[in-house]
Every structure is written in C-alpha cells, then in structure tokens.
Amino acid sequence: MKAIVLKEAGNVENLAYVELVKPTISEGEVLVKVKAISINPVDVKSRAGKGVYGRIKTENPLILGWDISGIVEETKSSDFKVGDEVFGMVNFPGHGKAYAEYVAAPANQLALKPQNISFEDAAASTLVALTAYQALVHNAKIQEGQNVLVHAASGGVGHIAVQIAKHLGAKVTGTSSAKNKDFVLSLGADSHIDYHGFDWKSAGRTFDFVLDTIGGDNIDHSLEVTKEGGSIISIPTGLNEEVTSKAESKGVKGYFILVQSSGDDMKQIASLLESGAVKPHVSKVFPFEQMREAHLEQETGRTVGKIVVTL
C-alpha cells in the first residue's frame, strides 16, 4: 500500500513516500480503506519534532496522522461490517498511522459516517470536532444561556466549537481577524471580536467560559474577560503555574485538556453532522501526492476551517 513515513523530525522533505505491506488487524479492530485524511496543527508540530513526536519517535516506520474517513474492508469487531463507511480519530495521542491507503483502527474509536456528508467533510470532523465536543460538553458542561468566548473562531477547532456551543444554547462570541468576521458570524456566532488591537482590559468580565485555541498571551487576555466562577480551557499550551495562579486569584478555573480518541463521542458528532447542527468548512483539498504542500499550507496558521487530503 501507499504510505508516507517521517524519516526524522524536520521539514516537509522528511515526509517520504513508500510502499508498505497492508496492516493486519487484531481483535476489536477494523481495516479501513482510507478515502480522506484531515491535517491538523499537531501534524505539522509533530513532523517538526514537537507536538506528540516525543511519544512516537521510536516507532518504525513512523507514520503521522490521526484523522480518517473511509470504508471498512476487514473487521474483527461486531461494531462494523465490511462495506461500512466510517470516520474517526485513531489512537490519539499515540501512533495513528493515518497517512496510508489502509489503517488498522480500533473499532471503539470510530463511528458510522452520516450518509448526507462526504468523506472529505467526515475527515474534517474528527480531531477538531472531538476537541470542541470534549471541551464544551465533558469539561465545561456548557449550559443554555451561558456566555461563551471562542478564540480563533475561524480555525479548525474554533469553527466547530462555535457551532456546538450554539447547539447547546449558549450565547457565543468568536474572535478572528476582521477579514474572517463574516465567516465567524455565518457559523452562528452572536458577536465577533477582531483580535487586532482589542482592549481586553476594558472589555469587562462577561464570559462564563472561554475556549482558548491560541495560547501564550491570549490566556492572560482571556482572564480579563472571564467572570468570577467561570472557566478557561487552553488547547495548544498547558496553563503554566503562573497563569493558573492568576486564574485562581480572579476566581477563575483555568486548565489544559488533550483530546482523546472516542467512538462514543464520534457517534454524538455524527448525529450533529447528520442533523445539520454542525457543518465543517473545508478550505482546501490536496491529493495524497501533495501531502508536503498540505503541511506547508497548514503551517501558515491562516487556514479557515480545515485542510483535507484525499486518496
């Protein structure tokens, strides 16, 4: 089968195209013939030696990627049958091996792909959708009527988080650059903040929950606008002790989460996709042969929605 291996941490030239033996599956797994793969910031970071590279660097061959959609070709699980169309995030934060024609995936990390969405949209609704869903539903436990702020609302996690928060009945504000304001509002956001030059200190503490998908100084900005008793979840960077203590001094709960593979959560996401409550935005689609170009595009940090690679 066709696959892309990471020869060593570094630039996109270290992504090498190879032929490998089709993987064999163990009990509880299915073999998925991959139709589409989603690219995330963690793919780019891990390729460069950051992200989750430290967890998987001893794997040989090392195959990046976690987000897949495709068709079940073999099964050793009663959950799926041959021919089922499935999608999910595989073995994150471990070795997902998604950059390949075939992936051996634990059945309990997948869900049936809704018939009303494409393989491309399904692949785009995995890691980012799980991150948003787990943050908003399991961790923050968003309630109807709460005020929610989603940073980088035009990005991968952000654009899904806006839609899920609205589905949960929250009043949602999204941040982005001015050029993406209309896109953020089209997702259902009630209001928009242009993060360029915004005066966070004078904005007032109005939000019950803040989803921070940027990190760095943005965490401090978020603390300025979070109500006492509210909470902040940081996705890209763990809240260091200094920021945690700052949060505590303001009566705010601040913490970091790392998304986990979950078939049960994927089923909930499938339901949201099927009903139209959530619609992923795929900004660019690359063929498998242009994985390096897909990485370079993701690396710009200016992606609206998601980047997808097809096989």
Side-chain angles (χ1 to χ4, degrees), residues 5-15 39-57 62 64-66 99 295-296 298-299:
V5 301
L6 181 64
K7 294 184 291 185
E8 60 181 359
N11 62 30
V12 294
E13 300 306 315
N14 290 346
L15 294 171
I39 309 299
N40 298 286
V42 70
D43 296 50
V44 170
K45 292 175 183 176
S46 300
R47 186 210 73 226
K50 301 175 183 178
V52 300
Y53 179 75
R55 297 172 182 252
I56 60 176
K57 63 183 180 181
L62 199 169
L64 293 177
W66 296 270
Y99 292 4
H295 267 237
L296 291 172
Q298 181 69 60
E299 216 161 16

Side-chain angles (χ1 to χ4, degrees), residues 79-80 87 107-112 114 130 133 262-274:
D79 292 336
F80 301 105
F87 71 130
N108 64 5
Q109 296 178 2
L110 303 175
L112 289 171
L130 282 170
Y133 186 86
S262 169
D264 288 340
D265 288 345
M266 285 306 309
K267 289 173 186 174
Q268 295 301 314
I269 291 162
S271 178
L272 293 172
L273 292 165
E274 192 166 35

Side-chain angles (χ1 to χ4, degrees), residues 180-196:
N180 291 324
K181 176 181 178 179
D182 289 344
F183 174 71
V184 171
L185 294 175
S186 76
L187 299 169
D190 298 283
S191 56
H192 173 267
I193 292 174
D194 176 1
Y195 61 79
H196 291 294

Side-chain angles (χ1 to χ4, degrees), residues 168-181:
L168 295 171
K171 183 179 180 182
V172 182
T173 300
T175 74
S176 75
S177 62
K179 69 177 182 179
N180 291 324
K181 176 181 178 179

Side-chain angles (χ1 to χ4, degrees), residues 143 145-149 170-173 206-210 227:
Q143 302 297 311
Q146 287 186 318
N147 283 328
V148 171
L149 175 65
K171 183 179 180 182
V172 182
T173 300
T206 58
F207 294 102
D208 299 289
F209 172 70
V210 179
K227 293 178 183 177

Side-chain angles (χ1 to χ4, degrees), residues 247-292:
E248 289 176 354
S249 72
K250 288 180 175 285
V252 174
K253 181 181 180 183
Y255 55 106
F256 165 78
I257 68 164
L258 183 64
V259 64
Q260 302 289 328
S261 295
S262 169
D264 288 340
D265 288 345
M266 285 306 309
K267 289 173 186 174
Q268 295 301 314
I269 291 162
S271 178
L272 293 172
L273 292 165
E274 192 166 35
S275 70
V278 169
K279 296 179 181 178
H281 177 77
V282 177
S283 61
K284 289 196 176 181
V285 178
F286 292 86
F288 191 64
E289 293 72 25
Q290 291 182 10
M291 181 64 78
R292 293 171 180 172

Side-chain angles (χ1 to χ4, degrees), residues 16 90 148 178 241:
V90 181
V148 171
E241 290 182 9

Side-chain angles (χ1 to χ4, degrees), residues 149-154 158 173-175 200 210-214 218 221-222:
L149 175 65
V150 177
H151 285 295
S154 61
T173 300
T175 74
W200 294 97
V210 179
L211 180 62
D212 172 42
T213 63
I214 301 171
N218 215 53
H221 296 327
S222 298

